[in-house]
């Protein structure tokens, strides 16, 4: 009997250790550098004119950069390591580390989130993908490969959008309306992300409210409400609130940075650095907070080709300089487009909340966090300290309401 019990305890200990398996040192390093990439890429993207919502997954961008390194030679490949601040990693550790990191953070079962990630590399109809590249890119980055004929551009664009829609079960119906450069290799990330809250919103407490895109433009959105205990910080000097909402299993959380009142986000974005975010988080305290958050779905697509070029990936995106000969065995490709597209859905769903807290003193005089105007958000992974998403909500879907006085 004692032997059986001891064996059972050993088995439980082994299972527990397997669940808490640590990342390799190179995966940990890449988690850190991809978090830095998050902010530099975000600050580049915000410079685009007439851009409203932003939605970027830095760990997915990092894995796409890994694919470029896999397909590249010489300085075209080494520039990827510079962009990722991973110059000291050898190729094997780079690819294994990026693969390990993405597998860890996108494990929907362990984290109880919905995150569908599909990646495809498109090449011109004349290209022949090298077998070794196809095998390695599938192994490390789970990339599919496809030839596409842009002589019929409309058909080609429809084909890309149909693939993205099918990959996300219809959540992402469109990646792009047009493709400018059609003579190179094209990366397409198609994703659907739906966080499940650690404590759900009550599905009956949803009503239509106004979301102030600007002081003179308001749209109607469904708003969900709940009161609970959250890590919260009010930065009175910079006139903003910071709220940390844990996701199911508490292995990741969504941090929202919102100004006191409706205003362009430029002021907050100038403050936004990794160091500043860490400072805000370090000052948070568990607080009773009454939250109102838009119940919305958002689809955003960015072409990151030029932005990655500005961050130092200059050769891969230059037709005259790129050496991506590992892809086809020939020096006949460059990175012409990097479409990074996501659908995001915020709903009431999550774990049951602790009802006993509502009869206690803990929820008296809650702080009000009323997200009825543009804000920035970061989805952060607790184990790896990587950033799953960084973005902003400026204009959710909804019908225009009358201008408010």
């Amino acid at each position: 009997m004692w032997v059986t019990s001891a064996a059972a305890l050993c088995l439980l200990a082994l299972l527990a250790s397997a669940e808490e398996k640590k990342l390799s040192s190179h995966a940990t390093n890449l988690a850190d550098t991809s978090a830095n990439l998050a902010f530099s890429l975000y600050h580049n993207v915000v410079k685009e004119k007439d851009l409203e919502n932003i939605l970027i997954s830095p760990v997915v961008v990092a894995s796409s950069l890994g694919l470029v390194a896999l397909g590249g030679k010489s300085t075209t490949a080494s520039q990827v390591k510079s962009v990722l601040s991973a110059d000291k990693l050898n190729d094997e550790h780079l690819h294994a580390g990026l693969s390990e990191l993405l597998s860890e953070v996108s494990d929907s079962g362990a984290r109880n989130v919905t995150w569908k990630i599909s990646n495809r590399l498109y090449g011109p109809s004349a290209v022949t993908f090298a077998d070794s590249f196809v095998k390695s890119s599938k192994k490390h980055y789970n990339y599919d490969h496809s030839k596409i004929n842009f002589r019929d551009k409309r058909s080609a664009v429809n084909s890309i959008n149909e693939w993205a829609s099918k990959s996300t079960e219809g959540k992402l119906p469109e990646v792009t309306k047009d493709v400018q450069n059609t003579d190179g290799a094209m990366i397409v990330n198609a994703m659907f992300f739906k966080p499940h809250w650690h404590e759900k919103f009550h599905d009956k407490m949803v009503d239509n409210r106004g979301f102030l895109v600007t002081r003179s433009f308001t749209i109607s959105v469904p708003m969900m409400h709940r009161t609970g205990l959250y890590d919260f910080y009010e930065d009175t000097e910079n006139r903003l609130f910071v709220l940390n909402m844990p996701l199911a299993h508490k292995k990741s959380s969504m941090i929202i940075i919102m100004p006191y009142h409706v205003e362009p986000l430029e002021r907050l974005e100038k403050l936004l650095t990794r160091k500043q975010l860490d400072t805000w988080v370090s000052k948070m305290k568990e607080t009773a907070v009454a939250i109102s958050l838009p119940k919305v779905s958002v689809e955003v697509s960015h072409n990151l080709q030029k932005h990655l070029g500005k961050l130092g990936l200059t050769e891969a995106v230059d037709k005259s300089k790129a050496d991506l000969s590992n892809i086809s065995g020939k020096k006949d490709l460059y990175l012409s487009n990097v479409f990074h597209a996501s659908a995001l859905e915020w709903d009431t769903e999550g774990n049951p909340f602790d009802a006993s807290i509502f009869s206690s003193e803990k929820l008296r005089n809650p702080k009000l966090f009323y997200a009825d105007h543009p804000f920035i958000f970061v989805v952060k992974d607790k184990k790896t300290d990587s950033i799953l998403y960084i973005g902003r909500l400026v204009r959710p879907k909804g019908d225009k309401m009358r201008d408010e006085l």
Side-chain angles (χ1 to χ4, degrees), residues 55-76:
L55 194 52
I56 300 168
S57 174
V59 289
V60 173
V61 174
S63 71
S64 295
L65 286 170
L67 181 84
V68 177
L70 191 66
K73 287 185 178 179
S74 188
T75 50
T76 299

Side-chain angles (χ1 to χ4, degrees), residues 181 185 302-311 313 316-319 334-339:
N181 301 319
H302 304 287
N303 190 344
L304 300 180
Q305 190 242 25
K306 290 182 179 179
H307 300 298
L308 292 172
K310 289 177 181 177
L311 293 182
L313 197 74
V317 301
D318 188 324
K319 188 176 181 179
Y334 76 109
L335 192 60
S336 56
N337 295 278
V338 181
F339 288 112

Side-chain angles (χ1 to χ4, degrees), residues 11-23 104 107 110-111 251 383:
L11 180 60
L12 286 171
L14 286 169
L15 289 171
S17 63
E19 287 177 2
E20 296 301 321
K21 181 182 176 183
K22 291 185 178 180
L23 290 179
E104 170 67 36
D107 185 342
R111 281 164 170 70
K251 292 193 174 183
K383 180 177 177 180

Side-chain angles (χ1 to χ4, degrees), residues 269-387:
E269 287 166 340
K270 286 180 178 178
L271 297 172
L272 186 64
T273 63
R274 187 178 182 185
K275 183 178 180 180
Q276 180 62 70
L277 181 66
D278 289 343
T279 298
W280 283 326
V281 170
S282 70
K283 292 181 178 181
M284 285 181 165
K285 292 183 179 179
E286 187 177 71
T287 307
V289 185
I291 301 171
S292 295
L293 191 69
K295 179 179 178 290
V296 293
S297 59
V298 180
E299 298 92 41
V300 184
S301 183
H302 304 287
N303 190 344
L304 300 180
Q305 190 242 25
K306 290 182 179 179
H307 300 298
L308 292 172
K310 289 177 181 177
L311 293 182
L313 197 74
T314 56
E315 284 198 11
V317 301
D318 188 324
K319 188 176 181 179
S320 64
K321 296 179 180 178
D323 184 353
L324 297 175
S325 51
N326 280 337
I327 295 178
S328 65
K330 300 177 182 178
K331 196 175 177 181
D332 57 352
L333 290 173
Y334 76 109
L335 192 60
S336 56
N337 295 278
V338 181
F339 288 112
H340 186 78
S342 292
L344 172 70
E345 192 172 295
W346 286 331
D347 206 337
T348 58
E349 297 171 18
N351 296 336
F353 48 76
D354 179 9
S356 66
I357 197 172
F358 293 103
S359 59
S360 71
E361 294 290 308
K362 293 182 177 180
L363 295 186
R364 288 191 65 183
N365 302 318
K367 294 284 187 179
L368 183 63
F369 190 89
Y370 193 70
D372 69 339
H373 54 280
F375 54 82
I376 299 166
F377 61 91
V378 176
V379 181
K380 203 164 185 283
D381 185 65
K382 186 175 181 181
K383 180 177 177 180
T384 65
D385 206 32
S386 59
I387 292 175

Side-chain angles (χ1 to χ4, degrees), residues 229-290:
L229 294 174
Y230 292 92
D231 287 339
F232 177 84
Y233 176 64
E234 180 178 356
D235 185 339
T236 53
E237 180 182 352
N238 291 305
R239 306 183 308 282
L240 58 87
F241 301 111
V242 188
L243 174 71
N244 188 14
M245 298 183 67
L247 306 184
H249 297 348
K250 287 191 171 181
K251 292 193 174 183
S252 57
S253 64
M254 186 170 79
I255 302 167
I256 303 177
I257 305 117
M258 184 177 72
Y260 282 175
H261 308 291
V262 59
E263 64 172 273
L265 290 176
E266 183 179 2
R267 180 179 69 84
L268 266 66
E269 287 166 340
K270 286 180 178 178
L271 297 172
L272 186 64
T273 63
R274 187 178 182 185
K275 183 178 180 180
Q276 180 62 70
L277 181 66
D278 289 343
T279 298
W280 283 326
V281 170
S282 70
K283 292 181 178 181
M284 285 181 165
K285 292 183 179 179
E286 187 177 71
T287 307
V289 185

